Amino acid sequence: MALLEIDRVDLACAVNNAEHHTELNGATRLIVRRGQPFTINLHLQPGTHFHQGTNINLIATTGPEPSEDADTAVKFGLSKFMSKTRWSATAALPSENTVSLTVCSNPNAPIGLYQLTLDQGSGVSLGQFVLLFNPWCTRDSVYLANEAERQEYVLSQDGLIYRGKPKRITVLPWTFGQFEPDMLDICLTVLSKSLQHLQNPAQDCSDRRSPVYVTRVLSAMINSQDDKGVLVGNWSGKYEDGVRPTAWKDSCSILRQWYHQDCIGVEYGQCWVFSAVACTVSRALGIPCRVVTNYESAHDTNSNLLVECYYDEFAENLGDDSIWNFHVWVESWMTRPDLKLSYEGWQASDSTPQETSDGIYCCGPVPVRAIKEGDLTVKYDAPFVYAEVNADVVEYVTLRDGRHVKIDSSTTEVGQCISTKAVGNDEREDITHLYKYPEGSEEERLVFEKANHQNRLIQNEEDPGVHVKIKLTPDMMVGTDFDVYARVKNNTDAPKNCHLMFYAQAVSYNGKLGETCGLTELTEMNVKPTEGDKATLRLKYSEYGKAITQDRMIKLVALLVDIETKEFYKATKTIMLDSPSITITVPGEANVGQPLVVTVLLVNPLPEALENCVFSLHGANLTDGAPIIKEVGAVGPEEITTAELEFTPKASGIRKLVIDFHSDKLSNIQGYRNLVIGE
């Protein structure tokens, strides 16, 4: 056979990338998805001819030690028809000196950077391409049938992350930016810096055929606890030597910083930051992914499915178990051939370093369905995730003589309002039903009867006994003074003489308590049978303003002691102070390549001046990857500050414009709106 003398190779990047939904990565390199054909053109030198039926072979390789046994090297010839289950290729002759080769990869091939070679005695390089998971391919293990969901969970570059409390859910706009320049290469580097790759590069590249494997690697690599991972966790409140977790608004700046500082962990992250970066990397690699928030999330350190809280008389938690006001992880969509049927679909994984799994800090992926069914034997880390959403809570007071007195228990506190962004709009979707059976269903009754949970729905203070509850006022804007109340009800037939301690402490979202910022004197109450009483606690900005963190959360504790029987009754409630809103005004139409000026406005709610005030603007395809910053200096008490920010949209479509405000005394303030960008 005469050798093919090739003048040049056209990888047709623009056409192929568009067909493979990777055009937002650009058209300078070939990026395709597995199990889907792509076509390249070989332009032959004059006098060279190719005839149908010519026996030529192609070789595709990936990884440092390509091997046919490991599926990281494959040799295949031309066929009449394309195969849907293995590497294959067909040829066409659009002109005398041009050969069009259409190549289709195995839908189970390892993802990564490939070299394509024409084998005709000596190998002739045809170029490189990146192979990704393919949610559009029915034979790929990440196949997602719904196009709107593919647009949301694979292609959308921005989203919303939920924080706060169940009754005061707040929204953080986030730019995932998986198609931003250099992001794909950085995401592939995350895989190549893993412990698995460093220990056995050839096996790691072979195992990348499995999204289960890749997701587990990512859950370890997004944190830097025991490897060269991306983010360093910090919940201390001290961030002077790094970036405070609440300052991040996008994944790209974090990943770029990690990459350009020789893959040393970026300081600092907390759960929503870990999860957002994991979502970016997953989507970049083609795995459908979404960010999920669980409210009243349990951290069970001893794997007994109980959160056991031991408090001293000042309500300081002496134990290791805790309940986070909220915790954020990700879900990734895939089949689970390693598990029994019905466990395909959403898989929960968590990059926040809490507990080790197989000796390293990672968690998941575990089927959400397994959590719902209480099947704790499946891989990976089912008991830990089950406890996060379903653990029972038992609270004790540790007396000075060392005795533990049980003061409260709950079967309903943990796992509330599990939330993710809805598909195609900015609404919140409650997915609690995916983790737990519906309230009142036969399945739920069976589960909770077995665990002696007869009173899941009823928490009624008219039940017999003594009850203490905390009530709030509707207006709790940061910067204002306001009252909260502890109400005591005596539903017995005897009078009760009680002592009430009612106080407030600053708290972080992960349950870590700070300084006391409000306290009533020890109040003695003489409550008649079937009657009640209340105590008022005034929360003053002059006190809580110095104690609260950027989370703007305060934990209220009411501790009631029956003087005669020495019985304890306790009520707690965590409040999140309201923050001011940012008003965004966009004049006229927005079009690609045309500068646009937006006006932003914010009212300082504090009774003191704000210094070093800064607005920043960011959003996928709206800037060049870095936020646009406008310093506005100082703002007086209760004064209005405005700024104009100019940017030039880079791509058409619906884009999320996000504005962030930061100052010395008030930060972590966001506003956003969707823009329709014209061509």
Side-chain angles (χ1 to χ4, degrees):
M1 181 191 75
L3 298 181
L4 290 181
E5 299 291 340
I6 300 174
D7 180 52
R8 61 184 177 89
V9 179
D10 178 10
L11 296 180
C13 298
V15 174
N16 285 317
N17 290 3
E19 292 179 351
H20 285 249
H21 309 278
T22 62
E23 68 273 17
L24 290 176
N25 288 112
T28 59
R29 60 193 302 197
L30 181 58
I31 303 170
V32 295
R33 300 186 186 273
R34 62 186 193 174
Q36 181 176 339
F38 61 92
T39 299
I40 64 175
N41 297 310
L42 310 183
H43 295 275
L44 307 179
Q45 292 185 2
T48 301
H49 300 284
F50 175 85
H51 302 285
Q52 287 289 4
T54 300
N55 183 24
I56 65 171
N57 291 307
L58 298 170
I59 300 174
T61 58
T62 186
E65 301 174 24
S67 163
E68 291 188 5
D69 291 337
D71 288 335
T72 51
V74 60
K75 185 175 182 179
F76 54 101
L78 297 180
S79 307
K80 290 184 178 181
F81 304 101
M82 199 69 65
S83 172
K84 295 182 178 180
T85 60
R86 57 180 176 80
W87 287 86
S88 59
T90 61
L93 298 174
S95 67
E96 182 179 356
N97 293 322
T98 303
V99 180
S100 289
L101 295 179
T102 299
V103 178
C104 188
S105 63
N106 185 331
N108 192 40
I111 65 162
L113 178 63
Y114 276 78
Q115 177 71 45
L116 185 63
T117 303
L118 178 66
D119 180 24
Q120 43 181 10
S122 60
V124 177
S125 174
L126 301 182
Q128 293 182 331
F129 63 93
V130 176
L131 188 67
L132 304 177
F133 292 110
N134 191 355
W136 284 265
C137 175
T138 57
R139 295 178 181 270
D140 195 306
S141 50
V142 301
Y143 172 65
L144 187 58
N146 185 285
E147 176 60 24
E149 292 181 347
R150 293 192 292 245
Q151 292 290 326
E152 181 71 45
Y153 300 136
V154 183
L155 300 183
S156 178
Q157 294 194 82
D158 51 37
L160 304 176
I161 300 174
Y162 297 98
R163 300 186 296 176
K165 291 285 293 177
K167 293 185 178 180
R168 199 173 291 265
I169 292 174
T170 62
V171 179
L172 172 67
W174 191 273
T175 303
F176 297 116
Q178 67 269 28
F179 296 113
E180 290 286 324
D182 66 17
M183 274 303 104
L184 181 55
D185 286 331
I186 294 175
C187 293
L188 291 171
T189 301
V190 171
L191 296 181
S192 67
K193 294 298 180 179
S194 70
L195 293 177
Q196 292 88 337
H197 188 82
L198 296 177
Q199 292 168 359
N200 192 335
Q203 185 61 49
D204 170 67
C205 288
S206 176
D207 289 340
R208 292 180 191 177
R209 74 190 75 180
S210 166
V212 178
Y213 173 82
V214 170
T215 298
R216 187 155 175 81
V217 169
L218 293 182
S219 77
M221 276 302 297
I222 301 304
N223 72 75
S224 63
Q225 197 72 16
D226 38 25
D227 48 33
K228 295 178 71 67
V230 176
L231 273 162
V232 179
N234 186 343
W235 289 265
S236 69
K238 299 177 181 179
Y239 313 116
E240 292 79 8
D241 55 343
V243 177
R244 55 191 170 85
T246 54
W248 302 112
K249 300 299 179 292
D250 72 291
S251 303
C252 297
S253 54
I254 296 170
L255 287 164
R256 287 191 181 109
Q257 182 175 332
W258 171 79
Y259 182 77
H260 291 299
Q261 63 188 23
D262 295 326
C263 303
I264 296 173
V266 176
E267 299 171 333
Y268 291 105
Q270 291 180 2
C271 68
W272 68 92
V273 188
F274 288 112
S275 300
V277 174
C279 184
T280 292
V281 180
S282 298
R283 290 184 182 182
L285 299 178
I287 301 174
C289 189
R290 64 186 185 183
V291 178
V292 171
T293 302
N294 176 41
Y295 290 93
E296 306 300 336
S297 186
H299 181 180
D300 176 23
T301 58
N302 59 2
S303 302
N304 65 353
L305 306 185
L306 287 177
V307 174
E308 298 157 307
C309 299
Y310 295 89
Y311 299 98
D312 60 19
E313 62 264 38
F314 300 105
E316 184 74 25
N317 190 354
L318 305 176
D320 294 325
D321 288 354
S322 60
I323 299 177
W324 297 29
N325 291 306
F326 67 89
H327 183 49
V328 186
W329 58 74
V330 297
E331 291 177 358
S332 303
W333 182 272
M334 65 191 72
T335 60
R336 289 300 299 264
D338 56 327
L339 303 177
K340 67 181 183 181
L341 292 176
S342 81
Y343 281 160
E344 65 279 354
W346 290 116
Q347 314 286 317
S349 64
D350 191 351
S351 296
T352 302
Q354 297 183 83
E355 302 294 330
T356 58
S357 173
D358 295 335
I360 61 174
Y361 281 92
C362 64
C363 180
V366 59
V368 172
R369 181 61 184 270
I371 302 304
K372 182 174 182 177
E373 299 293 342
D375 187 351
L376 307 188
T377 64
V378 305
K379 298 183 291 186
Y380 293 90
D381 309 307
F384 185 81
V385 179
Y386 179 88
E388 288 184 302
V389 300
N390 266 326
D392 287 352
V393 180
V394 184
E395 296 183 330
Y396 303 88
V397 165
T398 301
L399 303 180
R400 294 183 180 180
D401 61 8
R403 290 186 297 121
H404 301 308
V405 179
K406 182 178 177 180
I407 60 174
D408 198 10
S409 64
S410 173
T411 62
T412 62
E413 180 179 356
V414 168
Q416 300 181 31
C417 301
I418 304 176
S419 304
T420 190
K421 179 187 175 298
V423 173
N425 60 60
D426 288 339
E427 299 299 317
R428 181 183 71 89
E429 181 181 355
D430 192 304
I431 58 172
T432 309
H433 64 284
L434 298 181
Y435 286 84
K436 301 179 177 183
Y437 276 107
E439 301 287 359
S441 67
E442 180 181 355
E443 295 89 346
E444 184 240 3
R445 289 299 88 199
L446 290 173
V447 170
F448 287 111
E449 284 172 14
K450 183 173 68 175
N452 197 23
H453 296 164
Q454 294 93 347
N455 297 317
R456 180 165 176 77
L457 298 177
I458 302 175
Q459 295 293 317
N460 191 335
E461 69 175 9
E462 298 305 318
D463 288 343
V466 177
H467 304 273
V468 57
K469 283 196 171 183
I470 296 173
K471 301 293 183 180
L472 307 176
T473 54
D475 186 11
M476 297 184 293
M477 173 67 74
V478 63
T480 64
D481 300 342
F482 56 92
D483 293 329
V484 292
Y485 308 95
R487 296 186 183 274
V488 177
K489 187 67 181 292
N490 177 16
N491 287 333
T492 72
D493 56 4
K496 293 291 183 180
N497 296 321
C498 303
H499 280 150
L500 176 71
M501 179 181 289
F502 190 23
Y503 60 95
Q505 282 181 278
V507 64
S508 298
Y509 83 96
N510 65 345
K512 183 178 180 180
L513 294 172
E515 298 178 13
T516 300
C517 56
L519 176 68
T520 62
E521 297 296 331
L522 191 63
T523 303
E524 184 170 341
M525 290 184 169
N526 300 304
V527 189
K528 297 179 181 180
T530 70
E531 294 188 3
D533 201 351
K534 76 172 183 178
T536 302
L537 175 60
R538 184 73 170 172
L539 293 180
K540 300 179 179 180
Y541 174 73
S542 59
E543 297 179 7
Y544 73 72
K546 297 178 291 186
I548 60 174
T549 69
Q550 311 248 338
D551 300 323
R552 291 190 287 278
M553 290 181 173
I554 298 174
K555 185 172 186 176
L556 306 174
V557 179
L559 190 61
L560 189 72
V561 183
D562 187 316
I563 297 175
E564 297 178 0
T565 66
K566 305 303 181 182
E567 291 182 281
F568 286 82
Y569 307 92
K570 178 170 172 272
T572 63
K573 189 180 288 290
T574 299
I575 61 176
M576 184 169 186
L577 303 181
D578 293 329
S579 58
S581 59
I582 298 176
T583 302
I584 305 172
T585 303
V586 181
E589 296 182 352
N591 294 296
V592 174
Q594 297 184 7
L596 184 67
V597 178
V598 299
T599 302
V600 296
L601 179 150
L602 179 138
V603 178
N604 175 16
L606 305 186
E608 56 183 331
L610 302 177
E611 303 290 339
N612 304 318
C613 299
V614 177
F615 286 102
S616 61
L617 179 154
H618 56 97
N621 301 123
L622 296 181
T623 70
D624 289 321
I628 296 172
I629 296 174
K630 185 65 173 289
E631 298 180 0
V632 292
V635 181
E638 301 178 0
E639 287 186 359
I640 298 175
T641 180
T642 63
E644 291 185 344
L645 296 99
E646 181 176 329
F647 65 99
T648 303
K650 310 300 179 185
S652 60
I654 299 177
R655 306 295 172 191
K656 194 176 299 297
L657 170 69
V658 181
I659 301 294
D660 179 59
F661 176 82
H662 176 71
S663 68
D664 60 335
K665 299 182 181 68
L666 184 68
S667 60
N668 196 21
I669 309 296
Q670 293 88 29
Y672 67 94
R673 63 174 294 175
N674 290 331
L675 295 180
V676 178
I677 309 298
E679 294 289 351

